[in-house]
């Protein structure tokens, strides 16, 4: 085995550690999600279903989002996305729901985007305006199906459990906060383009800075370990 100087060896260890940590962080967050993650109860909101492509050898060609029937939404509209065809389906509800506008007997239960492609290493966002959001629950769970060009279908349908680790295939979840709550400031998914853009940018920036911080920490640990080893060898 060729001799590797101590400094080069420490540098290689630090680099591998940093890359491993970043890779694990990316893998943990690479699933279909809702952005922003919160909205006010009783409001009308614009949410984006963020879909990253997790495969190196296939493209995402279809996304199906199922809207909850236990808390149906009376108003749902979809923003056109170039290159994609969208189909919005309504269904009769298992049980009529009373709303401010009267009794709701049917609602949008499924939205399907197809015909486009999300290439490996890329993501896409699918925008939906919906409301009024329910006031008798603290979250909306949207089960989703992601189809790849090779025929694989990944079902994001596992509901998160409070206090438990995130499941392998979590459903996209929109948290609903009390109307007028101070906690919603800057986080709500109200239909305001500037606010939505800011939330998206902030989320991406936070993830990037978090990944960089983890990488720097891992590099520091590796270099520290090298220093201890070298000190022992001199002794």
């Amino acid at each position: 085995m060729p001799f590797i100087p101590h400094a080069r060896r420490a540098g290689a260890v630090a680099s591998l550690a940093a890359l491993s940590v970043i890779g694990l962080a990316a893998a943990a967050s690479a699933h279909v999600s809702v952005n922003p993650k919160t909205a006010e109860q009783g409001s009308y909101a614009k949410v984006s279903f963020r879909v990253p492509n997790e495969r190196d050898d296939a493209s995402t060609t279809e996304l199906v989002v199922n809207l909850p029937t236990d808390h149906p939404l009376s108003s749902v509209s979809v923003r056109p996305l170039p290159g994609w065809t969208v189909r919005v389906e309504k269904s009769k509800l298992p049980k009529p729901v009373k709303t401010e506008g009267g009794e709701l007997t049917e609602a949008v239960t499924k939205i399907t985007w197809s015909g486009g492609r999300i290439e490996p290493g890329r993501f896409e966002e699918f925008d939906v305006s919906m409301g009024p959001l329910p006031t008798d629950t603290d979250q909306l769970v949207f089960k989703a199906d992601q189809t790849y060009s090779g025929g694989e279908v990944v079902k994001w349908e596992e509901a998160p459990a409070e206090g438990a680790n995130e499941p392998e295939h979590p459903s996209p979840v929109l948290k609903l906060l009390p109307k007028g709550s101070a906690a919603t400031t800057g986080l709500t998914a109200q239909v305001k383009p500037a606010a939505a853009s800011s939330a998206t940018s902030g989320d991406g920036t936070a993830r990037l800075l978090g990944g960089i911080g983890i990488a720097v920490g891992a590099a520091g640990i590796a270099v520290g370990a090298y220093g201890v080893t070298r000190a022992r060898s001199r002794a």
Side-chain angles (χ1 to χ4, degrees):
M1 179 183 296
F3 173 74
I4 302 178
H6 290 299
R8 288 179 58 190
R9 184 182 305 164
V13 171
S15 298
L16 287 173
L19 289 173
S20 297
V21 172
I22 292 175
L24 289 173
S29 63
H31 52 70
V32 177
S33 60
V34 174
N35 184 59
K37 300 181 184 299
T38 64
E40 268 191 8
Q41 294 177 337
S43 70
Y44 283 80
K46 180 188 78 68
V47 299
S48 298
F49 291 94
R50 180 173 294 175
V51 183
N53 189 82
E54 294 187 302
R55 302 293 179 261
D56 296 328
D57 57 354
S59 300
T60 294
T61 56
E62 184 179 88
L63 173 69
V64 177
V65 173
N66 296 284
L67 279 65
T69 56
D70 55 343
H71 293 95
L73 300 163
S74 60
S75 176
V76 175
S77 58
V78 181
R79 172 177 288 179
L81 184 63
W84 293 82
T85 299
V86 62
R87 185 172 72 255
V88 179
E89 299 179 38
K90 281 188 174 183
S91 301
K92 285 191 174 296
L93 299 174
K95 182 180 179 181
V97 176
K98 291 183 178 180
T99 66
E100 292 182 359
E103 190 175 71
L104 191 64
T105 59
E106 68 172 17
V108 173
T109 55
K110 182 186 292 186
I111 306 175
T112 302
W113 288 268
S114 60
R117 297 179 74 86
I118 305 175
E119 303 294 342
R122 298 184 180 183
F123 74 92
E124 187 59 85
E125 290 187 334
F126 301 84
D127 294 341
V128 180
S129 174
M130 58 180 68
L133 300 177
T135 58
D136 58 348
T137 182
D138 61 359
Q139 67 177 19
L140 288 179
V141 178
F142 303 91
K143 295 183 178 181
D145 298 335
Q146 181 178 9
T147 300
Y148 287 92
S149 54
E152 177 190 10
V153 179
V154 179
K155 292 185 173 294
W156 303 97
E157 57 183 11
E158 298 178 69
E162 187 175 352
N165 293 331
E166 184 178 72
E168 184 177 358
H169 296 99
S171 297
V173 175
L174 177 66
K175 294 290 185 181
L176 300 179
L177 304 178
K179 189 173 183 179
S181 170
T184 65
T185 304
L187 296 176
T188 183
Q190 293 280 2
V191 187
K192 296 179 181 178
S197 174
S198 175
T200 301
S201 174
D203 180 59
T205 302
R207 288 173 182 266
L208 176 61
L209 292 177
I212 293 174
I214 292 173
V216 171
I221 292 172
V223 171
Y226 160 70
V228 171
T229 303
R230 187 171 183 184
R232 288 178 178 176
S233 64
R234 286 182 175 178

